[in-house]
Amino acid sequence: MSAKTRESTKPMLASIKEHPGKRADSTARLRQRVLDAALTCFAAAGVEATSVADITRLANVSTGSLYHHFDSKNGIAEALYLQGLDQLNSGVLGRLNRCRSARTGVRSVVLQYAEWVSANREMAGFLYAGDVVMSDAARLERKRMYGRQIRAVFEWFARYVARGEMRHIPADTYVPLISGPIQEYTARWLSGDAQRSPAALKALFADAAWNAVKT
Amino acid sequence: MSAKTRESTKPMLASIKEHPGKRADSTARLRQRVLDAALTCFAAAGVEATSVADITRLANVSTGSLYHHFDSKNGIAEALYLQGLDQLNSGVLGRLNRCRSARTGVRSVVLQYAEWVSANREMAGFLYAGDVVMSDAARLERKRMYGRQIRAVFEWFARYVARGEMRHIPADTYVPLISGPIQEYTARWLSGDAQRSPAALKALFADAAWNAVKT
Amino acid sequence: MSAKTRESTKPMLASIKEHPGKRADSTARLRQRVLDAALTCFAAAGVEATSVADITRLANVSTGSLYHHFDSKNGIAEALYLQGLDQLNSGVLGRLNRCRSARTGVRSVVLQYAEWVSANREMAGFLYAGDVVMSDAARLERKRMYGRQIRAVFEWFARYVARGEMRHIPADTYVPLISGPIQEYTARWLSGDAQRSPAALKALFADAAWNAVKT
Amino acid sequence: MSAKTRESTKPMLASIKEHPGKRADSTARLRQRVLDAALTCFAAAGVEATSVADITRLANVSTGSLYHHFDSKNGIAEALYLQGLDQLNSGVLGRLNRCRSARTGVRSVVLQYAEWVSANREMAGFLYAGDVVMSDAARLERKRMYGRQIRAVFEWFARYVARGEMRHIPADTYVPLISGPIQEYTARWLSGDAQRSPAALKALFADAAWNAVKT
DNA sequence: AATGAATGAGCCTTCATTCAT
DNA sequence: GATGAATGAAGGCTCATTCAT
C-alpha cells in the first residue's frame, strides 16, 4: 500500500492494522502465525475446503482472535496472495535489474522463477491454484503490483526489442513464450505428475525461453 | 459443450449407469441435461461454490432424479472432467495421427489445442480450474486416459527423435515446451487478462513450439 | 394475498408455498407446528432473543426442515405477525359490520379487542411487542391489510360523523381516543402490572370510548 | 436527552459507581458520553441489535473503559431506562403538584407527557420500545420509582375522588383512561404513522382525559 | 483509569444426501 | 423413474466480556 515494493516480506493491505509501541511485536507474531497456518491449509486443500477452524487449530489461536486481526477467511487468503505475489515478483524483478544483456535477462526470469518456486512450494501451489476470490480493495492492490511489475519488466526488455536483439511480437505473448514452459512444468511438479523440481531443470527452460524470443 | 465426444476411445466411468432398452434414450437425455447445466455452473463459479440446487434449477430436474442418475455432486464433476479431457485428447491425437512430418505433428498439437479451447471455452475453463477432487475410480480412469494419450503421442514423436529431427530431452519436458506457451496464454485469456482468442494467435505459438523442440 | 380477508386463519404471504395434492396436508401441519412453537418463543422472549434452535426444539422439527418451509427466522416472525394481525382485524371488522348504531359500533370495537386479546394472550403480546423487522414484501402486505381495515372502519364511522352523532376531530385521533385506554390497560396486563384481564373490564373501557367520541 | 434530570427523588442505581475527588468530573463526563451514545443506538436499533462496539465507536471510548464504568451492556440500558423514567415521572409529578383543581391536574398530566415526549423523542422511543431486560436490582429500583410516583399521584387525586369531583373506578384504570389516548397517539407518531407531534394535539387529548374521569 | 487483544460459546444459515410416497 | 420433504452436521462470523499491560 505504501511505496516500497520489492523484497518486502510483510503482508500488504494489512499494514493499516500495524501498531507502533510495545504490543506491536506480539500482534505481528500472531498475525504471522495465522498466515503461516493458513498457507499450509490452503496449499493442501484449497481456500474453500479449508475451514476457519482448520486454521485456528493449526495456528493455535482462538476464533475471536483470528477475526480481531483479519476481516474474514477470504481476507486471510488475500493477504497471503498479495504477500506471495509480491515476493515472487520482487525476486524476479530484482534479479532482472542486475542483468546486463537481453540473454541473461530473459534467462534470469526463468531461473529465478524456477528457484523461487522450488524453494517455496506451498506458496507456489497456493498462488497457482488461483482460488482466491479477490475483494475490490485486493484487486486494486494486485493491479497496482502487476502494473508496476509489468511496466518495469517491459521497460527493461523494450530497449533490446528496439535494438533488434529480441523479436517484435504482440506484447501479450512475451510472458507465455518465456514463462509458459517452466510454469507448465511447475504445475505438473506441483500436482505430482513430474518428479524433478523445476530448479533441477532450470537451465533447459531458461535456454528455451531465450531461444523463443531472441531474434 | 454439446458436441458429442468424438473418437472416444473408452467408455466413461459413468457408463455403468447406462441402461439398455426403451427408456435409455430419455435417460440419456436427462443425464446430458444435468451435465450441461453442471458445466455452466462449474465454469462460472467452481465446483465447490456450485450447489446441487443450482444444478437442479438450471437443468430443471428434481433432486431425487439427479441422485438417481449420479452418485454425488462430485460424481457429476468427475464425469464432466473425464468427458472433457477425452474430447480434448482425442481431438489432439486424431489430428496428430494424420500428420506426416515432425514439424506438422508438433504444430498440429498446438493448433488443435488452440482451436478446441477457443471453441469450448466453458469446458476449457472448467478443466483448467482443476477443482475436481478425484475419487480413486476416477483417478484410475484418468490415469488410463493419460497413459494412452502420452504413450500414443510419444510413439508418434519417438521416431523423429530417433531420426535426429527433434531434440533429445527428458521425456517430462516435451509437453511443457510444446504446450506451455499456448496454455499459459489460454489461462490469461480465460481469466480476461488477454483479449485475443488462442485461435487467433495459434500460428505464432505453433511456430514457437516447433522451434523449441526441433534439432 | 388473495381477496378473502376476514376470519382467515391461514398464514398470509406463505400461501404461495401451499401445494395441492396428497402431501399438502402434512406440509401444512408441519408449517403450523413451527408457527405455534415460534409464537410461544417469541411471546416469551422476543424475536431476537429466540434462537432458531429454540423453535426447532419446541416444534420437534429439524433445522433443514424449518428452512425448507420458511426463508429465515424473521420470515417466520413476519408470517406470524400477519396472521395475528389479520385475525385481530377481521374479528373487529366483522363485529363492527353487524352493528346498527354509532354507539354499539364504537363499543363493539373495544369489546372485541378486549375479548380477542384476553383469549389470545400470547399472540397479543407478540403483536404488541412490535419487534418484527419487516421485509419489504411483508411491509407491503401489512400496508394492504391496514389500508383495507382503516378504510372499512372509517367508512362505517363516517356516516355517523356526518349525521352529527360523533365528534368531528382529526382522523388521526379517533383510534387513540377509542382504543388507547383499552390498549394501554392491555399492555399493563401483558406486562403483569395489572391483574384483571381486559375482558373483565371491557364494559368500562367501551363506555369510555363512546363517551370520548360521541357528540 | 441531555437535560439533567430534574427533581430526582432518589439516586440512580448506577450511583454506586460515582467517585468523589478530583477525577469525578471527567469520570462523569465519560459516563454521560457513553449514555448519550447508547441512547442514540438503542433508539435507532434496539438494545439487542446494538453491539457494545457500536457504543464504544460512537462514544469514542475503549471497550475496557466502558466496562470500567458499567457492568454490562444491559447495565447501560437499565441506567438509561431509569434515568429516562425518572425524568418523565418527576416532570409530570412536579407539574401536577402545582395544580389547584382536579381538572387542571388531570389535564396537566397529559400536557406534560405530550410536551416531554415531543422534546425527548429518542428517549421516548427507547422507553416505549420496552426492550430492556431488567435485572432484579433494576426491577426493584423501578418498582420503588413507580410506587412513589403512583402513590403521589393517587394521593393528589384521592381527595377529588372523595369530594365526588372525579369518578370512582378501579385504581388500575385511571392511568389507561387518562394517558391511554395520548400514549397510543405517541406510539403512532414514533413509528412514523402519525405526522403531528403529540405536543401539537395536547389540548385535544387533555380535554378527553378530563372528560373520561370527571364525574 | 485506560487500552485493545484475546476468548469461545453461540448464532443463523447452507447444503449434500436420503427416503417415503 | 420421479419427486421434493426431511435431515443434521458443518460453516463463517459476531459479540459480550475478561484480562494483561
Side-chain angles (χ1 to χ4, degrees):
Chain A
M1 195 154 277
S2 59
K4 51 171 175 154
T5 313
R6 43 198 96 156
E7 322 291 24
S8 165
T9 315
K10 298 261 193 53
M12 314 290 315
L13 266 187
S15 56
I16 8 172
K17 290 220 168 184
E18 273 172 37
H19 301 278
K22 56 186 167 184
R23 310 245 8 113
D25 184 55
S26 103
T27 275
R29 231 197 301 287
L30 186 147
R31 264 190 72 89
Q32 199 54 48
R33 225 163 65 222
V34 169
L35 288 171
D36 291 347
L39 177 54
T40 301
C41 297
F42 292 164
V47 174
E48 285 234 69
T50 296
S51 73
V52 170
D54 291 337
I55 301 171
T56 58
R57 203 175 304 124
L58 192 58
N60 205 33
V61 165
S62 71
T63 315
S65 212
L66 182 148
Y67 276 94
H68 186 72
H69 292 281
F70 297 90
D71 281 347
S72 62
K73 183 178 80 165
N74 203 65
I76 301 175
E78 287 176 357
L80 215 43
Y81 181 91
L82 293 174
Q83 175 177 318
L85 198 60
D86 185 47
Q87 239 177 74
L88 172 55
N89 280 349
S90 55
V92 168
L93 193 57
R95 185 154 173 177
L96 178 63
N97 278 326
R98 289 194 294 279
C99 295
R100 298 283 163 255
S101 77
R103 180 171 169 278
T104 55
V106 168
R107 296 187 82 249
S108 82
V109 168
V110 176
L111 297 172
Q112 176 65 20
Y113 181 89
E115 286 167 15
W116 187 85
V117 144
S118 303
N120 299 276
R121 186 171 174 157
E122 271 190 341
M123 182 60 95
F126 170 64
L127 289 181
Y128 178 80
D131 52 359
V132 183
V133 182
M134 288 275 167
S135 70
D136 289 343
R139 214 190 306 279
L140 199 72
E141 176 65 13
R142 185 186 54 174
K143 197 162 199 159
R144 211 175 310 199
M145 282 176 49
Y146 255 131
R148 244 193 325 260
Q149 172 80 2
I150 292 286
R151 215 174 309 122
V153 170
F154 272 22
E155 272 167 22
W156 198 96
F157 284 137
R159 121 190 56 162
Y160 297 102
V161 175
R163 285 190 206 164
E165 296 180 25
M166 285 174 65
R167 297 171 62 192
H168 187 66
I169 50 179
D172 271 356
T173 59
Y174 284 104
V175 173
L177 284 178
I178 293 172
S179 303
I182 186 70
Q183 283 184 224
E184 170 66 10
Y185 183 81
T186 299
R188 286 167 180 252
W189 174 65
L190 286 170
S191 77
D193 287 346
Q195 300 305 319
R196 269 164 298 188
S197 83
L201 292 164
K202 63 184 176 183
L204 188 153
F205 288 109
D207 290 339
W210 174 239
N211 188 43
V213 294
K214 74 175 182 205
T215 330
Chain B
M1 140 190 35
S2 55
K4 278 296 289 179
T5 304
R6 323 168 203 150
E7 290 146 306
S8 168
T9 44
K10 240 323 172 48
M12 308 273 80
L13 235 208
S15 58
I16 10 174
K17 291 229 165 184
E18 270 171 37
H19 299 275
K22 59 180 167 185
R23 314 266 338 138
D25 183 55
S26 104
T27 275
R29 229 194 307 283
L30 188 149
R31 266 188 67 88
Q32 198 54 47
R33 228 164 61 223
V34 170
L35 288 172
D36 291 346
L39 176 55
T40 300
C41 295
F42 292 164
V47 174
E48 286 239 60
T50 296
S51 72
V52 170
D54 291 336
I55 300 171
T56 58
R57 204 175 303 127
L58 191 60
N60 206 30
V61 164
S62 71
T63 315
S65 221
L66 182 147
Y67 273 92
H68 187 75
H69 290 279
F70 294 91
D71 283 346
S72 64
K73 182 178 78 163
N74 205 65
I76 301 175
E78 287 175 355
L80 214 42
Y81 181 91
L82 293 175
Q83 177 176 313
L85 199 60
D86 185 50
Q87 224 178 91
L88 172 55
N89 281 346
S90 55
V92 168
L93 193 57
R95 184 153 173 177
L96 179 62
N97 278 328
R98 291 193 294 278
C99 295
R100 298 286 164 252
S101 77
R103 181 173 168 276
T104 55
V106 168
R107 294 187 83 250
S108 83
V109 168
V110 175
L111 297 172
Q112 175 64 20
Y113 181 88
E115 287 165 16
W116 186 85
V117 143
S118 302
N120 299 277
R121 188 172 173 154
E122 268 190 343
M123 183 59 97
F126 170 64
L127 291 180
Y128 176 80
D131 52 11
V132 184
V133 182
M134 289 276 169
S135 69
D136 289 344
R139 212 189 309 279
L140 199 71
E141 175 67 11
R142 185 186 54 172
K143 199 158 198 160
R144 208 174 314 192
M145 282 176 50
Y146 254 131
R148 237 191 338 262
Q149 169 80 2
I150 292 286
R151 217 174 307 121
V153 171
F154 272 20
E155 274 167 20
W156 197 95
F157 283 138
R159 112 189 66 161
Y160 297 102
V161 174
R163 286 190 206 162
E165 295 180 25
M166 284 175 65
R167 295 170 65 192
H168 185 67
I169 49 179
D172 271 355
T173 60
Y174 284 104
V175 174
L177 284 177
I178 293 171
S179 303
I182 186 69
Q183 283 186 225
E184 169 66 9
Y185 183 82
T186 298
R188 287 170 178 250
W189 174 67
L190 286 170
S191 77
D193 286 347
Q195 301 303 322
R196 272 165 296 190
S197 81
L201 291 165
K202 63 184 176 185
L204 188 153
F205 287 109
D207 291 340
W210 172 238
N211 189 43
V213 294
K214 75 176 183 204
T215 331
Chain C
M1 193 155 280
S2 60
K4 52 168 176 154
T5 312
R6 45 201 95 161
E7 320 294 22
S8 165
T9 315
K10 297 260 192 57
M12 315 289 313
L13 265 187
S15 56
I16 8 173
K17 289 219 166 183
E18 272 172 37
H19 301 277
K22 57 183 165 184
R23 309 241 15 106
D25 184 55
S26 104
T27 274
R29 230 196 302 287
L30 187 147
R31 263 189 72 89
Q32 199 52 50
R33 226 164 63 222
V34 170
L35 288 172
D36 291 345
L39 176 55
T40 301
C41 297
F42 291 165
V47 174
E48 285 234 67
T50 296
S51 74
V52 170
D54 290 337
I55 300 171
T56 58
R57 202 176 306 125
L58 191 59
N60 204 32
V61 166
S62 70
T63 314
S65 213
L66 182 149
Y67 275 93
H68 186 71
H69 292 281
F70 296 90
D71 282 346
S72 62
K73 183 179 77 164
N74 203 64
I76 301 175
E78 287 176 356
L80 215 42
Y81 181 91
L82 293 174
Q83 175 177 316
L85 199 59
D86 186 46
Q87 240 177 72
L88 172 56
N89 280 347
S90 55
V92 168
L93 193 57
R95 185 154 173 177
L96 178 63
N97 278 327
R98 288 194 295 279
C99 294
R100 297 286 163 252
S101 77
R103 181 171 168 276
T104 55
V106 169
R107 294 187 85 248
S108 83
V109 168
V110 176
L111 296 172
Q112 175 65 20
Y113 181 88
E115 286 166 17
W116 187 85
V117 143
S118 303
N120 299 276
R121 187 173 174 153
E122 271 189 342
M123 183 59 97
F126 170 63
L127 290 181
Y128 178 80
D131 51 16
V132 183
V133 183
M134 289 272 167
S135 71
D136 288 345
R139 215 190 307 279
L140 199 72
E141 176 64 14
R142 186 187 51 175
K143 197 162 199 159
R144 211 175 311 200
M145 281 176 50
Y146 256 130
R148 243 191 328 259
Q149 171 80 2
I150 291 285
R151 217 174 308 122
V153 170
F154 273 21
E155 273 166 22
W156 198 96
F157 284 135
R159 118 190 59 159
Y160 297 102
V161 175
R163 286 189 206 163
E165 296 180 24
M166 285 174 64
R167 296 171 64 193
H168 185 66
I169 48 178
D172 270 356
T173 60
Y174 284 104
V175 174
L177 284 178
I178 293 171
S179 303
I182 186 69
Q183 282 185 226
E184 170 65 9
Y185 183 81
T186 299
R188 286 168 180 252
W189 174 64
L190 287 169
S191 76
D193 287 346
Q195 301 305 320
R196 271 164 295 189
S197 83
L201 294 164
K202 63 184 175 184
L204 188 154
F205 287 109
D207 292 338
W210 172 239
N211 188 44
V213 294
K214 73 175 183 206
T215 331
Chain D
M1 140 188 37
S2 54
K4 277 297 287 180
T5 304
R6 324 171 203 148
E7 290 149 304
S8 167
T9 44
K10 240 318 168 58
M12 309 271 80
L13 235 207
S15 58
I16 10 174
K17 289 230 166 186
E18 271 171 36
H19 299 274
K22 60 182 168 186
R23 311 277 323 149
D25 183 56
S26 103
T27 276
R29 233 195 302 284
L30 188 149
R31 267 187 67 90
Q32 198 54 47
R33 229 164 60 222
V34 169
L35 287 172
D36 290 347
L39 176 55
T40 301
C41 296
F42 292 164
V47 174
E48 286 239 60
T50 296
S51 72
V52 170
D54 291 336
I55 300 171
T56 58
R57 206 175 303 124
L58 191 60
N60 205 32
V61 164
S62 71
T63 315
S65 221
L66 183 147
Y67 273 92
H68 187 74
H69 291 279
F70 295 90
D71 283 345
S72 64
K73 182 178 80 163
N74 204 64
I76 301 174
E78 288 175 355
L80 216 41
Y81 181 91
L82 293 175
Q83 177 176 312
L85 199 59
D86 185 49
Q87 225 177 92
L88 172 55
N89 281 348
S90 55
V92 168
L93 194 56
R95 185 155 173 176
L96 178 63
N97 278 329
R98 289 194 294 279
C99 295
R100 297 285 162 252
S101 76
R103 181 173 169 275
T104 55
V106 167
R107 295 186 83 250
S108 82
V109 168
V110 175
L111 297 172
Q112 175 64 20
Y113 181 88
E115 287 166 17
W116 186 85
V117 143
S118 301
N120 298 277
R121 189 172 173 154
E122 268 189 345
M123 182 60 95
F126 170 63
L127 290 181
Y128 177 78
D131 51 12
V132 183
V133 182
M134 289 275 169
S135 69
D136 289 343
R139 213 189 308 278
L140 199 71
E141 175 66 13
R142 185 187 55 172
K143 199 159 199 162
R144 208 175 313 193
M145 281 176 49
Y146 254 131
R148 236 191 337 264
Q149 170 81 2
I150 292 285
R151 218 174 307 123
V153 171
F154 273 21
E155 273 166 21
W156 197 96
F157 283 137
R159 115 191 63 162
Y160 297 103
V161 174
R163 285 190 205 164
E165 296 180 25
M166 285 175 64
R167 296 171 64 193
H168 186 66
I169 49 179
D172 270 356
T173 61
Y174 284 104
V175 173
L177 285 177
I178 293 171
S179 302
I182 186 69
Q183 283 185 223
E184 170 65 9
Y185 183 82
T186 298
R188 286 168 179 251
W189 173 66
L190 287 170
S191 77
D193 287 346
Q195 301 304 321
R196 271 166 296 190
S197 82
L201 292 164
K202 62 185 173 183
L204 189 152
F205 288 110
D207 291 340
W210 171 238
N211 189 42
V213 294
K214 74 175 182 205
T215 331

